[in-house]
Amino acid sequence: HHEDDSQAPEGTLCVELPHHHRPPPTAPGPPRHADHMPVQTDADYRSLEAPVANLEGVKDRSQRTKLGFWQVVFMVSNGMIGPVILVVPYSFFLVGIHGWTMYVFAFFMFWFTGHLLYKAQISQEGRLIPTFPEIGGALIGPKGRDVVGGSITIELLGLCSAFVVIIGDNLVKVQPLLPFGVELSKATWILIFAIGVTPSVLMQNYTLLAEMSKIGVLVCFSIPCLVILTHLVYPVATYMEPHEIAIEGPSFQWENLPLAMGIVSVAYTTHAVFPTVVAEMKDVKEFPKALEISFGVVTLFYLLAGAGFYIYGKATDPQITFNLPERMQYVVSYAIIITICLKFALMINPVVLFVEKTCRNNGRLVSLLCIDPKSPEGTPIKPVRIVLVASCVLAALLIPYIALIHSVVGVFWSTFVCVVLPCVLALQLRNWLPIQYAAIWGLLGLSTVMMFTGLYQNILQIKSCYDGTNAYENMCN
């Protein structure tokens, strides 16, 4: 007998095996019976995420975290600046010559809530929470995850629908330059774009998205410069009458502020992308600095883009492109088409991740979509991504008014996702100074009032677009 032999109950036949036939010793563990198997919970899965209690350790996470500081700056900037820059002059038109104050206020508001969201992401038991919906789930519970996920889905699909509308408008504009006398309808161009952009949505390569973002940001930044340069080369007086471009009305029209703030909210709406970008960074600690640089540079270019209103006055179109002389319209239209093609996949990505994870957790959908249960968590589910692109196309065909889409999405959903939700999540942390608590509660109250007053005005505007009264000039163009 050996000392490590266990005692058998009386009446049990024991056979001693030679050492070379004995199984290797195993560590003691829980019983193997089915009734005693441990149940996996959401907390168990969250505990597998990278630790950030000591942020120095985040640098050495997995090999897939490849985004450097400047790549993050470009991705965040590309998330904010985009085709909405065409509508920025119209937001000035809605409120008057002091419209620039909206963007200064929005800079501080959205930068602050972006910082709140970052704090929420790294605060849960020293773990990095990878997506916006999972932040809601960690701090509020399953209902929080569902509310956050549903909200960013509606918001980002609305924005992507606006991109599709702009693509259709601009492809129709440039088609006279195409060979063979091609003349297609706006709906046909939209379908062609959807087919062309789908491959970029099907891929899962953040490094490539970061490189695409660099080109998209540079192209977008060139648009306000082109508008100003066009005015210097072709003065407005040479193709418009003075009374057509006069700036009329009070210096600040408060009654139009909720509509204008809807457009401003879209201009800064990229918070849904922040957690995904942070989760892919080499050094998480650098994100606040990247956030400050991105918001500062983008705000300067929005103010530059607002010059379009001071040039065209009351003739300012919801898309500034169509105020330019014909030959310059083509140049800017091509720039916008390139920008949207480079930006579309980045903006729809958070929606894709949320919907795919929801599908994986639903047994019926796993069977219906032929999802391999053994596939890794981030494996693309192609039918889901194709359906999401198709939903953007359908929405664009039903509501083809670009300024109205931006205002509707921005004044309610973008404000809810980018201001209300970060404030609510931050209040769950309970580690703020009194002055910080006051700022969070004040911002929460202000944004709530802005959401519902703006929503009411947008409902009236949608009705006026379809009954022909057009309550707000040019918005139904």
Side-chain angles (χ1 to χ4, degrees):
H1 293 283
H2 296 276
E3 294 179 359
D4 58 350
D5 289 340
S6 57
Q7 298 293 328
E10 185 178 354
T12 302
L13 178 64
C14 297
V15 180
E16 182 179 359
L17 295 175
H19 276 286
H20 63 279
H21 287 297
R22 290 186 180 184
T26 57
R32 297 294 180 182
H33 302 293
D35 292 341
H36 295 88
M37 290 298 289
V39 178
Q40 296 293 327
T41 64
D42 287 342
D44 294 324
Y45 289 109
R46 285 197 299 273
S47 67
L48 300 177
E49 300 299 336
V52 295
N54 177 8
L55 292 181
E56 296 290 346
V58 178
K59 297 179 183 178
D60 300 321
R61 294 201 312 270
S62 64
Q63 293 182 352
R64 69 185 181 88
T65 55
K66 300 178 181 179
L67 297 179
F69 177 79
W70 289 108
Q71 285 179 312
V72 171
V73 170
F74 276 107
M75 286 190 77
V76 173
S77 300
N78 190 40
M80 287 186 283
I81 196 167
V84 71
I85 203 166
L86 299 179
V87 194
V88 167
Y90 189 73
S91 67
F92 281 66
F93 165 82
L94 286 173
V95 297
I97 60 175
H98 293 314
W100 60 271
T101 56
M102 295 186 301
Y103 287 88
V104 175
F105 170 75
F107 163 76
F108 288 104
M109 179 171 69
F110 287 100
W111 166 80
F112 180 65
T113 56
H115 188 71
L116 294 180
L117 184 58
Y118 168 74
K119 288 293 187 182
Q121 183 176 10
I122 66 172
S123 67
Q124 180 67 17
E125 299 177 358
R127 304 290 170 180
L128 181 65
I129 309 172
T131 65
F132 202 162
E134 290 182 36
I135 296 174
L139 297 182
I140 299 177
K143 291 184 178 179
R145 178 187 179 275
D146 293 341
V147 169
V148 173
S151 299
I152 66 171
T153 297
I154 296 172
E155 181 213 10
L156 294 183
L157 288 182
L159 293 179
C160 290
S161 300
F163 293 167
V164 176
V165 172
I166 295 175
I167 277 285
D169 290 339
N170 284 277
L171 284 173
V172 169
K173 171 61 67 174
V174 302
Q175 69 180 358
L177 300 181
L178 299 178
F180 311 114
V182 175
E183 291 188 11
L184 302 176
S185 65
K186 179 177 175 178
T188 304
W189 281 119
I190 285 176
L191 293 176
I192 292 173
F193 164 75
I195 294 171
V197 81
T198 298
S200 68
V201 177
L202 294 177
M203 72 177 185
Q204 189 78 3
N205 189 325
Y206 289 99
T207 304
L208 181 58
L209 286 179
E211 296 304 316
M212 292 167 62
S213 295
K214 293 179 182 179
I215 302 173
V217 169
L218 294 175
V219 173
C220 252
F221 282 172
S222 69
I223 293 173
C225 298
L226 285 172
V227 173
I228 295 173
L229 180 62
T230 300
H231 176 59
L232 296 176
V233 177
Y234 303 101
V236 178
T238 60
Y239 57 93
M240 284 188 176
E241 296 295 330
H243 69 274
E244 294 179 315
I245 58 174
I247 298 177
E248 300 176 346
S251 59
F252 200 95
Q253 301 181 56
W254 290 97
E255 66 274 13
N256 293 345
L257 182 59
L259 288 172
M261 281 303 297
I263 296 173
V264 175
S265 296
V266 171
Y268 287 96
T269 181
T270 190
H271 289 53
V273 180
F274 290 170
T276 307
V277 172
V278 171
E280 299 295 328
M281 288 186 70
K282 292 178 181 177
D283 187 358
V284 171
K285 292 191 306 178
E286 293 187 333
F287 182 74
K289 184 178 179 182
L291 198 66
E292 292 172 6
I293 294 174
S294 301
F295 270 84
V297 173
V298 167
T299 299
L300 289 176
F301 272 88
Y302 283 148
L303 296 177
L304 183 64
F309 165 68
Y310 299 104
I311 294 172
Y312 295 103
K314 66 179 184 180
T316 303
D317 194 272
Q319 289 190 58
I320 195 65
T321 310
F322 301 128
N323 282 122
L324 301 175
E326 188 173 10
R327 68 184 76 180
M328 287 305 298
Q329 287 185 20
Y330 296 141
V331 176
V332 176
S333 292
Y334 276 122
I336 286 297
I337 292 168
I338 293 170
T339 300
I340 293 176
C341 291
L342 296 172
K343 183 184 176 77
F344 191 90
L346 175 65
M347 292 304 293
I348 204 172
N349 188 60
V351 176
V352 166
L353 296 179
F354 171 72
V355 175
E356 286 184 341
K357 185 163 187 176
T358 302
C359 291
R360 290 182 189 278
N361 294 334
N362 187 304
R364 292 183 179 179
L365 291 178
V366 168
S367 176
L368 179 64
L369 299 173
C370 301
I371 301 172
D372 182 4
K374 299 180 181 179
S375 62
E377 180 77 15
T379 304
I381 304 175
K382 293 181 179 180
V384 169
R385 300 186 178 214
I386 293 172
V387 168
L388 290 174
V389 174
S391 66
C392 295
V393 171
L394 180 61
L397 294 175
L398 292 176
I399 309 178
Y401 308 123
I402 181 59
L404 190 56
I405 292 178
H406 274 107
S407 186
V408 170
V409 173
V411 79
F412 191 86
W413 290 112
S414 293
T415 304
F416 184 70
V417 170
C418 299
V419 182
V420 173
L421 287 180
C423 287
V424 171
L425 294 175
L427 288 172
Q428 309 306 310
L429 303 181
R430 304 183 184 281
N431 59 349
W432 304 103
L433 298 174
I435 190 171
Q436 293 173 320
Y437 264 120
I440 295 172
W441 277 109
L443 195 55
L444 186 60
L446 177 64
S447 58
T448 303
V449 172
M450 186 172 68
M451 280 170 50
F452 287 100
T453 55
L455 180 63
Y456 174 73
Q457 281 194 321
N458 273 287
I459 291 173
L460 295 180
Q461 177 59 24
I462 291 172
K463 180 177 180 297
S464 70
C465 283
Y466 285 98
D467 64 19
T469 58
N470 198 3
Y472 293 93
E473 188 176 359
N474 297 341
M475 205 169 207
C476 298
N477 294 345

